Amino acid sequence: MEDYLDKILHPEVLWTVFGAFVLGQIMSGGRRRSGGNSLSPTPPSPEEVKAALKKVTLSKWMEIDAELDARKKIRAIKLLREATGLGLKDSKEAVEARLRNRGM
């Protein structure tokens, strides 16, 4: 085992691995590509968003509305995210639509 570590930690091996990493970053533009290796979840479809919003209870909507009345939009978005499991973008859009529907 010790012989194996000596080979891995040899400077030429470390520089080769480092060079391969840097080359990979240069070739990809230094950013992640969307696709199978992405850590980001797939965004929900509009139907999934509507279904999630329908599951929000009346008491939770009242709580969200109270935060909106107090001009605490960020807190309202957080409450909606907790209630639905939706992402930030979808929750923000839903809260903003609620504001428009309420004439605020």
Side-chain angles (χ1 to χ4, degrees), residues 17-33:
V17 171
F18 177 75
F21 173 78
V22 170
L23 183 61
Q25 291 295 309
I26 291 169
M27 296 300 290
S28 69
R31 57 186 183 276
R32 292 181 186 221
R33 296 175 189 250

Side-chain angles (χ1 to χ4, degrees), residues 65-98:
D65 288 342
E67 295 296 341
L68 292 174
D69 291 341
R71 302 212 182 274
K72 295 184 178 179
K73 184 175 161 184
I74 293 173
R75 179 71 184 132
I77 293 169
K78 286 181 181 181
L79 288 172
L80 187 59
R81 289 186 74 189
E82 291 169 4
T84 62
L86 291 173
L88 178 61
K89 178 180 178 271
D90 294 315
S91 296
K92 179 179 180 281
E93 289 173 356
V95 166
E96 289 174 344
R98 184 123 178 130

Side-chain angles (χ1 to χ4, degrees), residues 6-61:
D6 287 341
K7 289 180 183 178
I8 295 284
L9 296 176
H10 200 270
E12 285 99 7
V13 173
L14 292 175
W15 279 111
T16 302
V17 171
F18 177 75
F21 173 78
V22 170
L23 183 61
Q25 291 295 309
I26 291 169
M27 296 300 290
S28 69
R31 57 186 183 276
R32 292 181 186 221
R33 296 175 189 250
S34 61
N37 293 334
S38 176
L39 297 176
S40 299
T42 305
S45 68
E47 294 81 22
E48 292 171 324
V49 172
K50 287 179 186 177
L53 292 175
K54 284 183 182 179
K55 292 180 183 178
V56 179
T57 63
L58 179 60
S59 62
K60 185 57 76 173
W61 280 120

